[in-house]
Amino acid sequence: MMLVERHLRFSTPVLCAGPAGAFFAYGLEIAGNAEAGLARLRAVDADGHPSPFTVLVNLHEFEHLRRICTAPAGVGVLPVGGGTSVSGCDEGGHLVLCEQATLEIERDSLGVLVLAPGPGIPWSLGVPADQVNGFLAALEDCTVGAALAAVA
């Protein structure tokens, strides 16, 4: 199994949503699993610790993701593949598992890329407008890792 890990530090914090309200993310921790064709994204706090809120990205949908992310007013929904689980916290702060079947992507009015797992998962992660290209490059590294593993 090939795991590609990338850490993206934001130049400015971005507001994200959680079940107990909003929080600031100062970066993203990205881990791509070549065998599964998935990348796991977690927001990172000011001290570099990852939050429990996870968003999965289907690496097989990377080109579609790139088109949505680079469009001036990109909006789209990508499949993630049924049966996958993501972790987070409920309103009381207890760890929960949820099934993520889709990934909703939207560029808001400030250009922030909002990633919302679905359906019915009560959190979202954001990527500042000036870091979308770095985000895509980190995910592409995971995709290249997946392609290399498939050839080997």
Side-chain angles (χ1 to χ4, degrees):
M1 174 175 76
M2 177 181 266
L3 185 65
V4 177
E5 293 185 10
R6 295 291 179 265
H7 298 273
L8 185 63
R9 195 76 171 157
F10 298 154
S11 55
T12 57
V14 65
L15 194 62
C16 298
F23 66 95
F24 282 101
Y26 292 80
L28 284 178
E29 176 187 89
I30 302 169
N33 183 315
E35 289 178 346
L38 291 172
R40 180 192 72 198
L41 312 177
R42 293 196 301 176
V44 176
D45 67 16
D47 296 324
H49 300 111
S51 77
F53 308 117
T54 302
V55 172
L56 297 176
V57 175
N58 182 343
L59 295 175
H60 302 293
E61 295 286 335
F62 179 73
E63 288 307 318
H64 191 185
L65 174 71
R66 181 194 307 272
R67 283 194 299 275
I68 295 168
C69 292
T70 56
V75 175
V77 178
L78 300 177
V80 174
T84 55
S85 293
V86 292
S87 61
C89 294
D90 64 13
E91 292 161 357
H94 299 96
L95 190 64
V96 295
L97 294 177
C98 301
E99 187 174 302
Q100 180 184 342
T102 59
L103 175 63
E104 297 176 29
I105 306 158
E106 180 179 355
R107 296 290 291 261
D108 72 8
S109 60
L110 299 174
V112 172
L113 186 66
V114 179
L115 306 166
I121 298 174
W123 61 82
S124 62
L125 301 181
V127 179
D130 65 341
Q131 306 245 197
V132 171
N133 289 335
F135 167 71
L136 289 171
L139 279 179
E140 187 170 29
D141 287 349
C142 296
T143 303
V144 170
L148 289 174
V151 171

